[in-house]
């Protein structure tokens, strides 16, 4: 294992609590699930954090309400227009999140934008020399080499629960002593079902996650196990693991978020209540730790049995497709991500059956002519994959 410099645990040059002033934070995607929970963290620790900028995709009403509550003077809106007070600057358009990330007076930028749309904001944050609390895994999936190549030592702090857990575990283990990483997942609402059982499942069933409260896209990804596949690719870029050094294990109880095995066979475990506010507050305030979000602590005596099992890759084919795309490299991960976003959107809209999601992704991957992962190449591959996925979806029956 080789540690990627952008994720180094020491946070060289990025200490944030040397002064008494609260840390200034820009929240990209503030009206979504991650964004709202980030603001919960700020509410819980007003002496530690101060919000200076907010962005949203299209929910202008919620954005304005948040701006009023936190006294924010810089907003971004990707779609539509917003009539803000005179003292509030508003950036509008597809690049709003990236422009706000660069312009905001913020020490930390929390990127909670959903999908590949967050890539430009990730790059803008790194260019501006700000700490990136990264919840937008698609940035790394689509352009991991590019993103990590732009990051300074300790500049990226992962906010995904599994990667935050790995980050914390690896901070105390020399890289040359690590054998492999294990990323856990609950298995989603369809754990234990066979492919034949999934032909007619609907949107509401897929959105009924047994452990986590998340937005619709990531919840569907969890039900297909694509989310675990994207997390494998993310872990590869964040921490320098090869794909053979990253395993996925299904853990229905959701108490254990990641494990690290060392050369001697010892396994270090990160366990915590399944609450996204915990990795969020670590991403904002590392290395300082605060009280448990909502007062939640694991009751070890009452947890009962903790179980672990291998993923069913025959039924949930997205996980294998993600490993394949990651190993192929170049622009294959970007195509995987874009095709999946289109397929999930079609499923949520009732235009594609649940089992059609991996089928569409596989067809688009097989049709792809890869290129080196430059920013231009990634953007072109992303656009091509979306167009191709749209054509594939249009030619299928919804079920």
């Amino acid at each position: 294992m080789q540690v990627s410099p952008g994720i180094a645990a020491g946070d060289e040059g990025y200490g944030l609590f040397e002064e008494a002033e609260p840390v200034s934070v820009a929240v990209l995607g503030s009206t979504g699930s991650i964004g709202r929970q980030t603001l919960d963290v700020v509410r819980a620790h007003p002496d530690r954090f101060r919000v200076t900028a907010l962005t949203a995709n299209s929910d202008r009403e919620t954005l304005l309400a948040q701006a009023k509550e936190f006294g924010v003077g810089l907003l971004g809106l990707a779609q539509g227009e917003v009539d803000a007070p005179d003292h509030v600057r508003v950036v509008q358009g597809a690049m709003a999140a990236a422009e706000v990330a660069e312009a905001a007076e913020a020490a930390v930028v929390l990127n909670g934008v959903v999908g590949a749309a967050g890539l430009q904001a990730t790059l803008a944050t790194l260019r501006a020399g700000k700490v990136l609390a990264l919840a937008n895994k698609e940035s790394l999936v689509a352009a991991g080499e590019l993103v990590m190549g732009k990051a300074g030592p300790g500049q990226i702090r992962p906010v995904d629960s599994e990667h935050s857990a790995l980050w914390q575990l690896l901070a105390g283990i020399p890289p040359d002593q690590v054998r492999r990483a294990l990323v856990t997942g609950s298995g989603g609402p369809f754990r234990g079902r066979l492919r034949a059982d999934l032909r007619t499942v609907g949107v509401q069933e897929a959105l009924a996650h047994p452990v986590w409260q998340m937005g619709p896209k990531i919840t569907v990804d969890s039900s297909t196990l694509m989310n675990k596949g994207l997390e494998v690719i993310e872990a590869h870029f964040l921490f320098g693991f090869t794909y053979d050094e990253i395993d996925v294990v299904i853990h229905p109880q959701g108490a254990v978020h990641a494990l690290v095995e060392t050369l001697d066979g010892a396994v270090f475990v990160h366990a915590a209540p399944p609450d996204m506010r915990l990795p969020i507050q670590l991403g904002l305030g590392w290395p300082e730790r605060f009280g448990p979000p909502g007062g939640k602590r694991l009751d070890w005596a009452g947890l009962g049995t903790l179980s672990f099992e291998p993923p069913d890759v025959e039924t949930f084919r997205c996980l294998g497709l993600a490993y394949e795309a990651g190993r192929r490299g170049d622009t294959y991960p970007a195509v995987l991500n874009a095709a999946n976003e289109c397929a999930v959107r079609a499923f949520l809209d009732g235009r594609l059956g649940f089992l059609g999601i991996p089928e569409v992704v596989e067809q688009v991957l097989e049709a792809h002519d890869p290129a080196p992962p430059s920013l231009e190449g990634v953007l072109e591959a992303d656009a091509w994959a979306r167009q191709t996925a749209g054509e594939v979806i249009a030619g299928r029956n919804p079920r």
Side-chain angles (χ1 to χ4, degrees):
M1 172 199 169
Q2 296 181 346
V3 174
S4 300
I7 198 68
D11 267 356
E12 294 89 339
Y14 293 97
L16 297 177
F17 286 106
E18 296 173 0
E19 300 179 4
E21 290 294 318
V23 175
S24 52
V25 178
V27 184
L28 312 182
S30 65
T31 63
S33 176
I34 293 295
R36 291 172 188 260
Q37 291 180 85
T38 300
L39 296 180
D40 284 343
V41 170
V42 175
R43 290 186 189 98
H45 303 285
D47 58 328
R48 296 297 192 184
F49 305 112
R50 175 174 59 91
V51 180
T52 60
L54 299 167
T55 78
N57 181 42
S58 59
D59 188 352
R60 58 187 180 185
E61 287 80 11
T62 301
L63 182 66
L64 284 173
Q66 292 172 340
K68 182 178 180 180
E69 177 185 355
F70 291 95
V72 174
L74 176 60
L75 303 179
L77 189 69
Q79 299 182 47
E81 297 181 355
V82 59
D83 185 16
D86 292 339
H87 67 278
V88 176
R89 176 190 170 196
V90 180
V91 179
Q92 298 178 167
M95 293 291 289
E99 292 181 35
V100 168
E102 196 155 11
E105 294 183 3
V108 180
V109 176
L110 187 291
N111 187 351
V113 175
V114 176
L119 171 59
Q120 295 282 15
T122 286
L123 294 174
T125 302
L126 298 177
R127 283 196 304 269
K130 298 165 184 173
V131 171
L132 174 64
L134 185 61
N136 174 256
K137 65 171 63 68
E138 294 86 354
S139 294
L140 284 171
V141 172
E145 291 181 25
L146 186 64
V147 169
M148 298 310 297
K150 301 291 185 183
Q155 194 176 1
I156 299 178
R157 298 175 181 174
V159 171
D160 270 346
S161 61
E162 297 83 359
H163 301 87
S164 176
L166 287 173
W167 176 45
Q168 295 170 66
L169 290 170
L170 292 169
I173 306 173
D176 62 355
Q177 299 298 302
V178 175
R179 179 174 177 269
R180 63 170 175 159
L182 295 98
V183 176
T184 63
S186 71
F190 304 134
R191 183 179 67 88
R193 297 199 198 183
L194 300 178
R195 190 180 304 180
D197 304 326
L198 301 177
R199 294 194 183 280
T200 60
V201 298
V203 171
Q204 293 308 312
E205 293 173 274
L207 294 178
H209 198 282
V211 177
W212 295 94
Q213 297 295 319
M214 304 175 291
K217 193 270 180 182
I218 190 173
T219 305
V220 173
D221 281 350
S222 296
S223 72
T224 66
L225 292 195
M226 178 60 88
N227 193 48
K228 291 300 115 181
L230 299 179
E231 289 172 359
V232 166
I233 298 173
E234 185 180 8
H236 164 74
F237 286 116
L238 276 176
F239 305 110
F241 288 107
T242 69
Y243 288 103
D244 291 335
E245 294 171 333
I246 310 169
D247 289 333
V248 171
V249 62
I250 301 303
H251 168 54
Q253 295 78 22
V256 174
H257 304 291
L259 308 92
V260 171
E261 181 182 339
T262 52
L263 296 178
D264 56 4
V267 178
F268 293 78
V269 177
H270 179 283
D275 189 325
M276 280 303 301
R277 292 174 297 177
L278 177 57
I280 288 170
Q281 68 184 32
L282 282 168
L284 298 182
W286 181 266
E288 187 167 350
R289 291 179 181 268
F290 310 103
K296 298 179 183 177
R297 298 181 185 273
L298 286 178
D299 176 12
W300 287 97
L303 273 179
T305 301
L306 298 180
S307 59
F308 302 89
E309 60 194 53
D312 180 358
V313 294
E314 295 298 322
T315 299
F316 302 96
R317 297 179 53 242
C318 286
L319 179 57
L321 291 172
Y323 266 103
E324 179 182 350
R327 288 190 169 105
R328 286 185 179 185
D330 290 331
T331 45
Y332 277 107
V335 167
L336 170 93
N337 179 70
N340 178 67
E341 285 188 22
C342 292
V344 169
R345 183 70 266 165
F347 171 69
L348 289 169
D349 292 343
R351 296 181 287 114
L352 183 68
F354 183 79
L355 291 180
I357 296 174
E359 293 171 0
V360 168
V361 172
E362 183 174 37
Q363 281 187 252
V364 177
L365 282 173
E366 289 307 312
H368 181 48
D369 184 13
S374 64
L375 178 58
E376 182 180 61
V378 166
L379 296 177
E380 288 179 356
D382 180 273
W384 173 87
R386 292 176 191 279
Q387 178 180 346
T388 305
E391 293 169 356
V392 172
I393 292 165
R396 297 173 57 93
N397 292 322
R399 296 290 179 192

